[in-house]
Amino acid sequence: MFNTLKRTAAALAVASLISAPALAADLVINFDDLNEAPKLGFETAVEKFKAANPDINVIVNITDREAHKTAIRNFLSADAPDVTSWYPGNRMAPFVNAGQFTDVSDLWESEGFNDSLASTKSAMTIDGKQWGVPYTYYQWGIYYRSDIFAAQGIEVPTNWEGLLAASAKLKEAGIAPFTIGTKYLWTAAGVFDYLNLRTNGYDVHNDLTAGKIKYTDPRIVDVFEKWKELVEPGYFIENHATMSWQEALAPFIKGEAAMYVMGNFSVAAMREGGLTDDQIDYFQFPEITPGVARAEEAPTDAFFIPSNAKNPEDARKFLAFVAQPDIQSEWNATIGQLPINKNSTVGDDKFIQKGFETVSTAEGLAQFFDRDAPAEMAKAGMEGFQEFMIKPERLDAILKRLDKVQERVYK
Amino acid sequence: MSSTGSAQVADNKSGASPGGQRSWFFRNRIKLAPWLFLLPGLLFFSVYVIAPIFQSIWISFYEWDGLSPKQWVGTANYVELLDDDRFYTSLINNVWWLVLYMLAVPAGLGIALFLNQTVTGIRLYKSLFFFPFVISQVVVGLIFTWFYNPDFGIVGIVWEFFGAKPPAILADEDLVTFGIIAAGLWPQIAYCMILYLTGLNNVSPDQVEAGRLDNAKGWKMLWFIILPQLKPATFIAIVVTVIGALRSFDLIAIMTQGGPYGSSNVLAYYMYETALSEYGFRMGYGSAIATVLFLIMLVYISFFLWRMYQDEKG
């Protein structure tokens, strides 16, 4: 035992000696997902990059997503990697404004990303410059139990009245129309975003998250009035504030709830829970105000180059590499999400197919409430949404409080 | 003091070193020795405890996101605190924690008295009662989260047995804080119990015997004979309980994250949330909360130090 230890220590010492002089061709990449499929997708892409660039010594650090969110603030200034994964929209704003990310607009120009990655260009842009290169996004919408719908004789709703009627029918049959777990707040923001996008459209979503519209604005109050039509009759599952999104899957899998406003990543968990593709399906969040152009939520993940990167040249090579259509096709087929490069092909999974159709035909793509709004506003907003779902009668007080926060955050 | 004196004498005897000339360090070594031994501790205590206190008070006068340059805002953070509903919720919850956590002291005493007997296997029972203190707060939080779950938790089953609809304790703004405090009491009672158990070992049998001769029984025996002898244990139990209540953080982080909508927040967690969590990074505002929490603790710390001083004085 002791010998093994000694040998390991010796090996480590030798290894550190070898790697100690930082070679110019070292490329350090920090990635933020330890889940099996995303990790595999990333590692496969890195292997291909290595094969294409044998002179670059790639070093990867993969951490858990939540840990990455806290660690990034330290490592960007203290010990910056050459490439790091992060999120566009307002999530990248603090780092861009503090000068911690490198401007990669030239890469967008020279590699033709302005055309091939056009769908997410606006999300990657601050001050007219692009700050990173996206590699994946995924659709949101309503996931539902098609077997329950069939048994209850419910058609897939295409408008608000249809959705209310379907909910009423499910409720009558003793099935909760919607499951949701709001313990970690953001799930409620998904519902709010869709109600807002369908009631008022993409521009109002952007103006609200940019602080140009007050929460007490009649258009936003309208959104909450619509939400009330779901909350007051009890169309959301009870006790949702005690559950995470994964825990809220349990009633969905057991057949006690029939619909879930969610992102496509939930499909993997539904299948793991024992549901087959004959039992689950997807439909776009139905129309509310007729004539409002259909915009969708499509949160994007991207790679960025920190300003303190030691090897920015090779980092640029990597960013250009992950945007290639074939790389994005394979990567996203592995993780069950959508490639951003328009020349990529999508997987033949039915949810990916439907998602691709939903996203590629949308008039606008929102990132998500907590990525489009500044962090502090997002937190207060999402707490407000959760409170509203439990105490809808407090709507006025909640909206006034959000206005107060808004005034301070966007000054 | 007396030991130092005798050392001094011994020192003088052997001190006549052959060299005659002795260094300043050598001459003062008795005075210096304690400081030398204290030095590492003092150094780390000032670097890691004292300095950060002043640092965070200093930061509380700035607006700072941890990345961009700091911006002096004077007392603006404190003015904002005065108008912050979440802050008052946290403050009130902190008071609830302090008050209800105190139940751990009499409860711990009760269990200690109950376990302070010689029966076969009493050691096993003692260990079982002590068990919750040994397991991590994170585990305690998880266990109680499931316990409170209205769908599959024990609370739900009991409620349904009586034909009532189980409450979602952790989703109800009025119940949530009490739910978490109850979870926190479980290990805290065990802690107080162990303090009292060791205290009971030192209760003098003579005095108990004498009390018996004077016909003291039951409550009178407990109040006049046993409790005065347990005074040191009581003092420590109160100290650790107050500290435990003010530091309450892990259970909240695990069980509710301050939710629903901030109603189970306490100052420590609110500070973390504004300064360091995913949606936070308002270092100045977080520091202002920390400063308020520090001032509250200061009242208590001064009392504690004063008590220690009085005791030392004899």
Side-chain angles (χ1 to χ4, degrees):
Chain A
M1 178 63 207
F2 182 68
N3 273 330
T4 334
L5 262 180
K6 237 164 66 174
R7 235 176 286 141
T8 322
L12 273 177
V14 172
S16 65
L17 272 181
I18 294 169
S19 64
L23 299 166
D26 274 357
L27 181 70
V28 183
I29 305 172
N30 284 11
F31 185 67
D32 68 338
D33 206 330
L34 277 172
N35 289 316
E36 212 169 304
K39 188 165 169 257
L40 178 68
F42 170 67
E43 283 170 346
T44 314
V46 167
E47 285 312 315
K48 292 209 158 171
F49 178 72
K50 277 184 185 164
N53 300 279
D55 54 321
I56 301 174
N57 178 30
V58 184
I59 302 163
V60 295
N61 306 313
I62 308 180
T63 42
D64 164 66
R65 195 160 267 232
E66 298 305 318
H68 183 82
K69 284 177 185 166
T70 352
I72 189 168
R73 294 191 157 244
N74 293 328
F75 70 60
L76 279 186
S77 45
D79 183 22
D82 300 305
V83 175
T84 181
S85 53
W86 192 243
Y87 324 108
N90 239 308
R91 274 303 174 92
M92 68 178 185
F95 302 116
V96 170
N97 295 335
Q100 301 268 28
F101 281 157
T102 312
D103 172 14
V104 292
S105 308
D106 55 320
L107 203 64
W108 279 69
E109 200 63 51
S110 63
E111 300 284 328
F113 293 165
N114 290 329
D115 175 49
S116 60
L117 307 178
S119 57
T120 51
K121 186 179 177 187
S122 65
M124 302 301 308
T125 305
I126 289 181
D127 298 335
K129 295 169 192 152
Q130 287 75 51
W131 300 92
V133 170
Y135 65 95
T136 184
Y137 59 3
Y138 53 89
Q139 82 272 18
W140 271 65
I142 299 183
Y143 291 81
Y144 72 105
R145 288 284 300 264
S146 44
D147 52 342
I148 297 180
F149 269 49
Q152 299 294 333
I154 299 169
E155 293 288 312
V156 168
T158 51
N159 57 22
W160 185 243
E161 287 67 36
L163 188 68
L164 290 178
S167 302
K169 206 161 183 185
L170 287 163
K171 181 88 183 168
E172 225 166 88
I175 299 163
F178 286 96
T179 185
I180 189 169
T182 60
K183 183 177 178 186
Y184 297 98
L185 305 173
W186 53 266
T187 46
V191 178
F192 171 80
D193 272 353
Y194 264 114
L195 289 168
N196 190 17
L197 288 170
R198 293 290 183 269
T199 311
N200 298 313
Y202 188 53
D203 294 335
V204 171
H205 169 87
N206 285 337
D207 288 350
L208 179 73
T209 50
K212 292 179 196 152
I213 296 181
K214 279 184 172 305
Y215 283 81
T216 45
D217 186 287
R219 285 171 292 181
I220 305 302
V221 175
D222 270 356
V223 174
F224 282 95
E225 291 302 332
K226 284 277 177 285
W227 203 347
K228 231 179 218 174
E229 292 172 27
L230 295 178
V231 172
E232 281 187 335
Y235 289 165
F236 287 99
I237 197 157
E238 281 178 56
N239 306 326
H240 52 79
T242 59
M243 292 185 282
S244 67
W245 75 264
Q246 292 99 328
E247 286 165 327
L249 269 176
F252 186 83
I253 288 167
K254 281 192 270 179
E256 292 163 6
M259 291 183 275
Y260 203 175
V261 180
M262 252 295 140
N264 198 51
F265 53 83
S266 60
V267 170
M270 290 172 189
R271 286 179 182 148
E272 269 166 38
L275 294 177
T276 63
D277 281 11
D278 300 333
Q279 292 174 292
I280 42 176
D281 213 333
Y282 165 87
F283 64 88
Q284 293 169 1
F285 200 97
E287 180 184 79
I288 295 179
T289 310
V292 168
R294 186 172 56 80
E296 297 288 335
E297 300 252 61
T300 307
D301 289 350
F303 283 109
F304 296 84
I305 306 177
S307 307
N308 295 334
K310 293 171 199 75
N311 189 359
E313 291 79 29
D314 288 340
R316 273 164 197 272
K317 273 189 206 163
F318 183 76
L319 258 59
F321 183 81
V322 296
Q324 286 176 16
D326 53 323
I327 299 297
Q328 292 213 340
S329 304
E330 194 193 338
W331 192 333
N332 284 290
T334 311
I335 61 181
Q337 295 189 4
L338 301 170
I340 290 163
N341 193 310
K342 67 172 192 183
N343 303 318
S344 306
T345 49
V346 290
D348 52 9
D349 175 274
K350 79 169 172 185
F351 292 99
I352 308 272
Q353 296 281 354
K354 288 191 177 180
F356 182 71
E357 195 208 312
T358 301
V359 172
S360 58
T361 56
E363 297 288 325
L365 293 181
Q367 282 304 309
F368 201 72
F369 184 78
D370 75 344
R371 292 192 188 182
D372 287 329
E376 204 193 336
M377 187 70 240
K379 168 85 179 169
M382 296 192 304
E383 278 186 353
F385 302 156
Q386 190 196 35
E387 186 169 355
F388 171 76
M389 288 184 74
I390 297 172
K391 308 262 176 188
E393 68 275 10
R394 290 191 194 159
L395 180 59
D396 288 342
I398 294 170
L399 294 181
K400 281 196 187 104
R401 191 173 66 229
L402 293 184
D403 273 354
K404 201 167 100 182
V405 177
Q406 192 187 43
E407 224 166 87
R408 193 183 64 239
V409 172
Y410 297 90
K411 64 174 175 232
Chain B
M1 275 298 121
S2 62
S3 64
T4 327
S6 63
Q8 192 78 49
V9 174
D11 174 49
N12 283 343
K13 271 182 196 160
S14 64
S17 65
Q21 194 64 28
R22 292 181 306 178
S23 69
W24 175 88
F25 184 78
F26 193 81
R27 271 180 281 122
N28 293 290
R29 63 185 193 207
I30 299 296
K31 270 188 222 146
L32 283 172
W35 290 107
L36 272 179
F37 283 112
L38 279 174
L39 193 66
L42 284 178
L43 198 73
F44 283 102
F45 191 71
S46 36
V47 171
Y48 292 110
V49 178
I50 307 288
I53 291 176
F54 289 101
Q55 236 173 351
S56 64
I57 294 176
W58 186 240
I59 292 174
S60 73
F61 297 111
Y62 286 93
E63 181 85 55
W64 187 36
D65 68 357
L67 292 168
S68 319
K70 289 205 258 306
Q71 202 186 342
W72 175 267
V73 291
T75 54
N77 283 327
Y78 293 93
V79 174
E80 194 188 322
L81 262 190
L82 289 178
D83 190 32
D84 183 347
D85 300 341
R86 292 272 181 275
F87 171 69
Y88 289 112
T89 314
S90 312
L91 200 63
I92 292 167
N93 282 340
N94 251 121
V95 173
W96 276 119
W97 271 87
L98 268 175
V99 172
L100 292 180
Y101 230 45
M102 279 302 152
L103 289 177
V105 178
L109 176 65
I111 296 176
L113 289 171
F114 172 66
L115 290 178
N116 191 39
Q117 45 186 318
T118 36
V119 219
T120 343
I122 192 70
R123 275 165 190 275
L124 178 70
Y125 301 136
K126 282 183 186 172
S127 333
L128 286 177
F129 272 96
F130 189 55
F131 176 68
F133 183 67
V134 182
I135 57 178
S136 146
Q137 292 264 307
V138 177
V139 178
V140 174
L142 278 177
I143 292 174
F144 271 79
T145 312
W146 293 329
F147 189 66
Y148 287 146
N149 187 301
D151 296 323
F152 56 79
I154 296 178
V155 170
I157 295 170
V158 171
W159 244 263
E160 265 158 22
F161 178 78
F162 291 105
K165 200 170 152 309
I169 293 173
L170 296 183
D172 185 315
E173 55 178 19
D174 300 319
L175 296 177
V176 62
T177 297
F178 303 107
I180 303 174
I181 295 175
L185 276 175
W186 188 43
Q188 192 64 31
I189 288 174
Y191 193 10
C192 291
M193 176 204 80
I194 209 79
L195 290 171
Y196 277 120
L197 270 179
T198 47
L200 282 170
N201 274 340
N202 296 329
V203 166
S204 119
D206 308 359
Q207 288 188 31
V208 176
E209 196 60 26
R212 263 206 196 117
L213 286 177
D214 287 338
N215 223 4
K217 270 192 220 123
W219 286 112
K220 281 196 167 169
M221 175 70 106
L222 177 67
W223 189 256
F224 293 106
I225 312 285
I226 310 286
L227 268 188
Q229 296 189 63
L230 287 176
K231 211 176 144 202
T234 308
F235 182 62
I236 297 292
I238 290 175
V239 168
V240 294
T241 307
V242 170
I243 292 176
L246 286 173
R247 292 204 317 188
S248 49
F249 174 90
D250 13 21
L251 285 175
I252 292 163
I254 291 294
M255 296 175 74
T256 62
Q257 300 213 320
Y261 43 88
S263 44
S264 65
N265 246 334
V266 294
L267 290 177
Y269 192 78
Y270 190 43
M271 169 190 75
Y272 164 79
E273 204 178 73
T274 46
L276 297 165
S277 77
E278 189 183 343
Y279 300 110
F281 293 105
R282 297 185 69 206
M283 298 295 179
Y285 197 58
S287 300
I289 301 168
T291 308
V292 172
L293 184 59
F294 174 68
L295 290 177
I296 296 171
M297 285 194 175
L298 202 61
V299 174
Y300 171 71
I301 293 168
S302 336
F303 165 75
F304 176 69
L305 289 178
W306 178 78
R307 258 299 294 267
M308 294 271 276
Y309 180 69
Q310 295 296 320
D311 281 358
E312 289 281 299
K313 253 188 0 188

